[in-house]
Amino acid sequence: WRISREKGSALVPLALFFFIGWVSIKSYLAPILPSDHIAHFLSERPQKITGTIDTDVMPYALGARYDLRVEAVGQQPASGKIRLTVLGGDRFLNAGDRLSFTGRLRPIRGSINPGGFDYARYMRMHRIWGACYVKQELINILEKSPLSREWKQVENFRRKLTERIENSVSGQPAQVLKALIVGERKGISVPVQEAFNRSGAAHALAVSGLHVGMVAGSAMAFFCWALSYAPWLTAGGRVRKVAAVLTSIFVAAYGVLTGMSPATQRAVIMALVFLLGFLAQKEHDLINTVFIAALLILIVYPPALFSISFQLSFAAAIGIITGFPKIAAGEGKETRWIIQAFKTSVWASIFAIGATLPLVMHYFNQISWVGVISNLLVIPL
């Protein structure tokens, strides 16, 4: 209404979106639960539970963890999700497996110390209201997962990649390579993870903007080169448009292959929005691209706003994008590309580390002063 009268409007949209966000979060933290919800069945006595695995395996020192979508408790139909911890043995369950077992449905406890991590709130954000521990030999698999043919192909390709890495390299280097290439980080040891954290290079282990940017840039360059040999495309000036479409498919496929973590989602959505700009023949505004990615993620999953990976990922992206133009405006153009590349790497690290510094201090109680130097070595490698 104000725009139609050529007047500015900031406060009303801000209030509206804040209200929409509050309502979205409220449905996770304080929902109206149905009478058959799992929250009403929490008890210390053993109960027979039937349900379907809702997620892939999560690493756990004593076995494996899964999210279970409950179908029944005893003879009563039930709804909702619990965190199932399978003690001992192999990680033999997959997403979609239907199973039954007898165990105690315990409530999830929150934080005890003021300012501590509120585990109960975190689990409610994932719509999980109970927990159960059960030994592997007590689980009865009723039905194996009916994976689609396409998803089986993705899983087979990922498995072949990991097997090839393990056959080529052994030990922790193999685990680091699996994290870099297919986003599988569960095999990385605590000392190696801590070394990456303390050196300020932990972001290299998470498939994010760096990885997706390499894939997108390489694919775009290759498709532009290959399509330039097609006269009917070059004559119509359609090489970059077709290359952008093919690159978009390639980037989306890479995101699916690596598991689509929050950092990967952000990077893939940003890359797709950027590439679609070639089709629309619009000038790219990177800060808008970042916030479109954030908005799309929050529409699908509003609690992502409180995720550490979401906050760190977007803080780093915003820091780099807002900082670079100011530096570029104050510098002359370098004749030697290697000097320009060195300066770009240094400033990218400084802006990313500076933007994420308050969050890192808050969540991890540590600062990596050597991050700028370590990234100069880690990123090229």
Side-chain angles (χ1 to χ4, degrees):
W1 178 79
R2 288 183 64 84
I3 290 171
S4 67
R5 283 156 179 74
E6 297 182 353
K7 295 180 180 180
S9 180
L11 185 60
V12 174
L14 183 64
L16 173 64
F17 275 88
F18 187 87
F19 175 73
I20 292 172
W22 177 77
V23 170
S24 301
I25 294 297
K26 188 175 182 296
S27 68
Y28 285 84
L29 293 181
I32 300 172
L33 301 175
S35 59
D36 66 344
H37 194 269
I38 197 67
H40 304 306
F41 292 91
L42 301 178
S43 171
E44 287 297 324
R45 62 183 178 84
Q47 304 176 86
K48 183 181 179 182
I49 302 164
T50 305
T52 303
I53 298 294
D54 203 43
T55 57
D56 290 327
V57 62
M58 289 171 274
Y60 182 61
L62 303 178
R65 279 179 168 163
Y66 308 86
D67 289 347
L68 184 78
R69 191 170 64 253
V70 179
E71 299 172 10
V73 176
Q75 299 300 318
Q76 292 181 268
S79 62
K81 293 198 296 185
I82 65 170
R83 175 60 54 85
L84 173 65
T85 302
V86 180
L87 301 172
D90 300 322
R91 297 163 181 175
F92 66 109
L93 298 174
N94 298 304
D97 288 353
R98 189 166 175 268
L99 48 93
S100 68
F101 55 90
T102 299
R104 292 180 175 87
L105 274 176
R106 296 184 173 93
I108 296 174
R109 306 296 182 188
S111 62
I112 298 173
N113 298 324
F117 177 63
D118 193 338
Y119 186 61
R121 181 175 182 270
Y122 171 79
M123 295 302 280
R124 286 200 300 274
M125 291 284 198
H126 291 80
R127 299 197 188 279
I128 297 172
W129 291 78
C132 185
Y133 290 77
V134 63
K135 293 182 179 178
Q136 176 180 320
E137 56 267 23
L138 300 179
I139 291 179
N140 179 29
I141 300 176
L142 305 175
E143 186 180 347
K144 289 298 289 181
S145 169
L147 287 175
S148 65
R149 181 185 172 191
E150 292 78 12
W151 188 247
K152 282 182 179 178
Q153 290 176 340
V154 172
E155 287 295 319
N156 288 336
F157 184 61
R158 183 191 285 126
R159 192 186 72 254
K160 288 178 181 177
L161 271 177
T162 56
E163 287 176 355
R164 184 160 187 174
I165 292 170
E166 289 170 350
N167 291 335
S168 304
V169 192
S170 61
Q172 283 300 298
Q175 304 305 324
V176 171
L177 275 177
K178 286 196 286 186
L180 291 171
I181 297 170
V182 295
E184 187 178 311
R185 303 171 61 181
K186 60 189 178 187
I188 297 178
S189 66
V190 174
V192 172
Q193 181 70 59
E194 184 63 20
F196 272 90
N197 291 340
R198 291 175 66 84
S199 66
H203 64 91
L205 295 179
V207 176
S208 56
L210 174 67
H211 307 66
V212 174
M214 287 179 175
V215 171
S218 302
M220 187 70 178
F222 171 76
F223 287 127
C224 283
W225 169 78
L227 295 172
S228 65
Y229 288 94
W232 60 279
L233 286 176
T234 53
R238 293 187 290 267
V239 170
R240 295 186 78 185
K241 289 184 178 181
V242 177
V245 172
L246 295 174
T247 303
S248 298
I249 297 171
F250 204 79
V251 167
Y254 177 68
V256 171
L257 177 68
T258 56
M260 276 293 187
S261 68
T264 311
Q265 292 172 18
R266 186 265 306 168
V268 168
I269 292 172
M270 280 187 63
L272 295 179
V273 171
F274 187 84
L275 290 165
L276 290 175
F278 289 108
L279 299 180
Q281 294 184 327
K282 298 290 184 182
E283 186 177 345
H284 294 100
D285 188 328
L286 286 179
I287 201 70
N288 279 350
T289 305
V290 171
F291 281 104
I292 287 173
L295 187 61
L296 290 175
I297 291 171
L298 293 176
I299 287 172
V300 175
Y301 182 59
L305 182 65
F306 301 99
S307 161
I308 297 175
S309 62
F310 180 93
Q311 293 176 13
L312 290 174
S313 181
F314 278 96
I318 292 168
I320 293 170
I321 289 170
T322 55
F324 255 117
K326 296 176 183 178
I327 297 301
E331 285 192 358
K333 200 167 184 179
E334 292 286 352
T335 53
R336 294 185 179 180
W337 67 269
I338 192 166
I339 296 176
Q340 190 64 36
F342 177 78
K343 285 186 175 182
T344 299
S345 300
V346 172
W347 282 116
S349 295
I350 290 173
F351 289 133
I353 291 171
T356 57
L357 189 63
L359 294 170
V360 172
M361 291 168 66
H362 175 68
Y363 288 121
F364 305 112
N365 302 309
Q366 66 180 20
I367 301 172
S368 176
W369 298 110
V370 297
V372 174
I373 299 171
S374 63
N375 276 289
L376 286 175
L377 302 172
V378 171
I379 301 306
L381 286 173

